[in-house]
Amino acid sequence: MSRHFDAIIIGTGQAGPSLAARFATAGMAVAIIERHKFGGTCVNTGCIPTKTLVASAHAAHVARRGTEFGFVVSGDVRVDMKRVKARKDEIAGRSNRGVEEWLRGLKNCTVIQGHARFESSDSVVVNDEILEANKIFINVGGRATIPEFPGIHDVPFFTNSSMIDLDFLPEHLVIVGGSYIGLEFGQMYRRFGSDVTIVEMGPRLIGREDEDVSDAVRKIVELEGIRIRLNAKCISLAKRDSGIAVGMECDEGPPEVSGTHVLLAVGRTPNTHDLGLDLAGIATDEHGYIIVDDQLQTNVPGVWALGDCNGHGGFTHTSYNDYEIVADNLFNADHRRVSDRIQTYALFTDPPLGRCGMTDAEIRKSGRATLAAKHPMSRVGRAIEKGETQGFIKITVDAETKQILGAAILGTGGDEVVQVLLDVMYAKAPYTVVQRAMHIHPTVAEFLPTVLSKLEPFA
Ligand SMILES: Cc1cc2nc3c(=O)[nH]c(=O)nc-3n(C[C@H](O)[C@H](O)[C@H](O)COP(=O)(O)OP(=O)(O)OC[C@H]3O[C@@H](n4cnc5c(N)ncnc54)[C@H](O)[C@@H]3O)c2cc1C
């Protein structure tokens, strides 16, 4: 027995549900399959829960700074982790239920719960039933990478998925991995009241960023009492009476950090190993990412891969943009391409880092004539008024075309303000458009013209 659909979508991450709705509203029969929680990583174990927890941590942080702002909190500010978790559960749960109810309410859309596996290039099996379609879309996302550290099988550890469900405060949390996820959890738990040590294999935190950004972020988190260990080679885990020891070989510092709990935040692995891709003949790269072309088609005609599993993004907005690219190509004869998009993302520490376009390192490699400007947040009125003066604004511009090449805004509102520059980049307009525009006072964005007035040849 098999059922035939116009389209099958595997996974309900950030691309699948919108695509299902697009097919369904076009009057086509679509099946969408989810093996775990509706909404995938972002909704259940990623963006929404972590940003909700970051908000609780921020509130505790501001409360501790009460005297600076002129109010008194009697006694210590202590965090009730059960209530913090309940708030997170409520907010993330609402989104999870929203995705499920939306999909189940769609006419022409069949929602199936179970693990999908390819049987051939145009069929998948779920719960012993075969589903067929000429169009199949893979949106299976990824999971936390568990490296084969010596001792990993002998000790308990958290990943992002288990960490967001904590309803108690670890006394000393050791985080292995000093990139985006590790830093967000690190600052959050420090603000909740844990001792936090971050152990990073590379020579600096968030190694994908420019050195000045990494250094500034390091200073910000160290100022809050987070201990950082860099260049940690040969990491191992071992049980101790007091908890867990993370062993390492470093240039400086003791060869072991003991904590009560360990969080692994060392990267993501695509969920492609158990999809039966070989039976469909779908090619992956050496890391398991599904190989796609500029319009997200795999090497097998009629099969597309969207979101984290294709290795072209790693963010909610890149996955959603994948949906837009596929839908516009299929339904609107609008031949959008992955290569048209401009890199952009944020690190949601406090203050956040908003990024768009090229890093300085990428610009140097490109060898093009560039102008650059940098301005400290300590000289931005709005930041001073808010008492949040850490960080800087940095913008680079092509010396010939005057188009913006990249920006890093580490500072209050940086995640929002950077998008002023991003939109001008999409418009392929010169930076002078931003410089001549009148902005709202007092905001961080109103300083963009000031920063741009300081452009100088890039060193
Ligand atoms: C801690 C953390 C914080 C993050 N914060 C941010 C942030 O602030 N901003 C941002 O842009 N991004 C953030 N991300 C990344 C973001 O969550 C992902 O990029 C985003 O969820 C896109 O995922 P996706 O659409 O590829 O699929 P996912 O959201 O991963 O969903 C895939 C779905 O497919 C299902 N599935 C897998 N295999 C099968 C199968 N064989 N059969 C049926 N179903 C299957 C899974 O159960 C899952 O529900 C964060 C990630 C983490 C881990």
Side-chain angles (χ1 to χ4, degrees):
M1 280 290 284
S2 65
R3 272 198 281 176
H4 190 85
F5 294 90
D6 293 312
I8 293 172
I9 298 167
I10 308 174
T12 65
Q14 296 302 304
S18 300
L19 195 58
R22 193 72 184 76
F23 273 97
T25 49
M28 296 158 102
V30 57
I32 186 161
I33 307 154
E34 174 54 58
R35 70 176 176 192
H36 190 41
K37 289 188 173 177
F38 287 87
T41 309
C42 179
V43 165
N44 299 291
T45 59
C47 337
I48 295 180
T50 53
K51 268 78 253 182
T52 306
L53 295 172
V54 161
S56 290
H58 179 253
H61 180 68
V62 173
R64 286 192 193 103
R65 292 177 61 197
T67 47
E68 261 180 69
F69 293 94
F71 64 88
V72 178
V73 177
S74 50
D76 285 349
V77 174
R78 272 185 291 122
V79 174
D80 179 344
M81 287 304 291
K82 288 197 167 40
R83 287 171 70 170
V84 166
K85 178 178 179 298
R87 177 175 185 273
K88 182 274 296 176
D89 286 343
E90 163 57 23
I91 292 171
R94 223 182 292 151
S95 293
N96 161 259
R97 288 190 299 280
V99 174
E100 178 168 5
E101 284 162 18
W102 176 39
L103 288 172
R104 291 198 188 279
L106 286 172
K107 206 175 147 203
N108 304 320
C109 180
T110 303
V111 177
I112 301 170
Q113 282 196 273
H115 177 93
R117 188 185 288 273
F118 279 89
E119 280 275 289
S120 69
S121 61
D122 60 2
S123 65
V124 299
V125 64
V126 195
N127 307 329
D128 296 328
E129 187 188 15
I130 294 174
L131 313 178
E132 292 172 333
N134 294 332
K135 291 185 177 65
I136 301 183
F137 302 89
I138 309 170
N139 180 216
V140 293
R143 61 188 184 283
T145 301
I146 312 294
E148 277 300 318
F149 291 145
I152 190 111
H153 302 294
D154 308 328
V155 298
F157 58 83
F158 296 118
T159 65
N160 65 291
S161 303
S162 43
M163 194 75 204
I164 50 130
D165 277 333
L166 250 58
D167 64 356
F168 66 92
L169 201 59
E171 197 181 314
H172 182 182
L173 178 65
V174 182
I175 300 176
V176 183
S179 201
Y180 308 88
I181 293 175
L183 281 166
E184 288 179 19
F185 275 112
Q187 188 183 46
M188 174 201 304
Y189 270 85
R190 181 68 195 133
R191 290 178 170 193
F192 287 154
S194 296
D195 278 337
V196 173
T197 303
I198 296 180
V199 177
E200 164 58 41
M201 290 74 109
R204 54 193 172 84
L205 298 175
I206 35 173
R208 162 176 173 174
E209 303 300 333
D210 289 322
E211 262 175 61
D212 55 350
V213 173
S214 288
D215 291 348
V217 168
R218 178 181 174 170
K219 280 191 192 113
I220 288 167
V221 296
E222 280 186 333
L223 211 61
E224 293 190 25
I226 295 177
R227 286 185 289 269
I228 307 288
R229 298 291 307 270
L230 299 174
N231 292 306
K233 304 280 181 291
C234 305
I235 291 176
S236 60
L237 302 173
K239 255 199 179 125
R240 292 283 182 269
D241 289 344
S242 56
I244 300 159
V246 178
M248 68 201 85
E249 281 176 21
C250 281
D251 301 339
E252 326 169 343
E256 193 172 287
V257 177
S258 281
T260 52
H261 298 81
V262 169
L263 166 65
L264 294 182
V266 293
R268 307 282 297 166
T269 301
N271 290 327
T272 53
H273 62 296
D274 52 2
L275 259 180
L277 293 179
D278 48 336
L279 295 179
I282 298 166
T284 58
D285 69 11
E286 70 272 26
H287 304 292
Y289 290 105
I290 298 171
I291 297 169
V292 290
D293 65 14
D294 217 10
Q295 269 135 4
L296 302 165
Q297 295 198 70
T298 68
N299 61 312
V300 172
V303 182
W304 288 254
L306 301 86
D308 289 9
C309 67
N310 67 27
H312 284 278
F315 298 100
T316 283
H317 46 275
T318 48
S319 179
Y320 187 76
N321 187 241
D322 283 359
Y323 146 69
E324 293 177 316
I325 289 169
V326 169
D328 273 341
N329 272 284
L330 288 177
F331 291 98
N332 300 334
D334 180 353
H335 303 300
R336 291 172 70 174
R337 297 172 306 180
V338 179
S339 54
D340 288 338
R341 68 186 177 208
I342 299 167
Q343 154 160 276
T344 190
Y345 52 86
L347 161 71
F348 293 94
T349 46
D350 174 30
L353 167 70
R355 277 269 304 111
C356 66
M358 299 167 86
T359 60
D360 289 357
E362 286 166 342
I363 289 171
R364 246 174 237 123
K365 217 166 143 192
S366 77
R368 62 170 90 198
T370 303
L371 303 173
K374 198 169 170 182
H375 187 88
M377 293 300 285
S378 56
R379 285 172 47 210
V380 171
R382 187 66 195 280
I384 297 167
E385 290 142 19
K386 290 171 84 177
E388 297 177 10
T389 54
Q390 293 167 314
F392 53 77
I393 300 172
K394 183 169 82 161
I395 308 173
T396 44
V397 166
D398 186 298
E400 279 166 28
T401 64
K402 295 193 171 24
Q403 287 180 16
I404 297 166
L405 295 175
I409 305 186
L410 175 65
T412 183
D415 48 338
E416 301 282 352
V417 179
V418 80
Q419 302 189 67
V420 172
L421 302 173
L422 179 69
D423 288 342
V424 174
M425 288 171 81
Y426 273 110
K428 297 195 189 328
Y431 75 86
T432 47
V433 169
V434 182
Q435 206 175 25
R436 286 164 178 240
M438 182 181 75
H439 296 93
I440 299 168
H441 173 75
T443 59
V444 176
E446 75 173 329
F447 269 79
L448 295 176
T450 308
V451 182
L452 289 166
S453 71
K454 301 199 316 188
L455 284 171
E456 284 181 353
F458 181 59

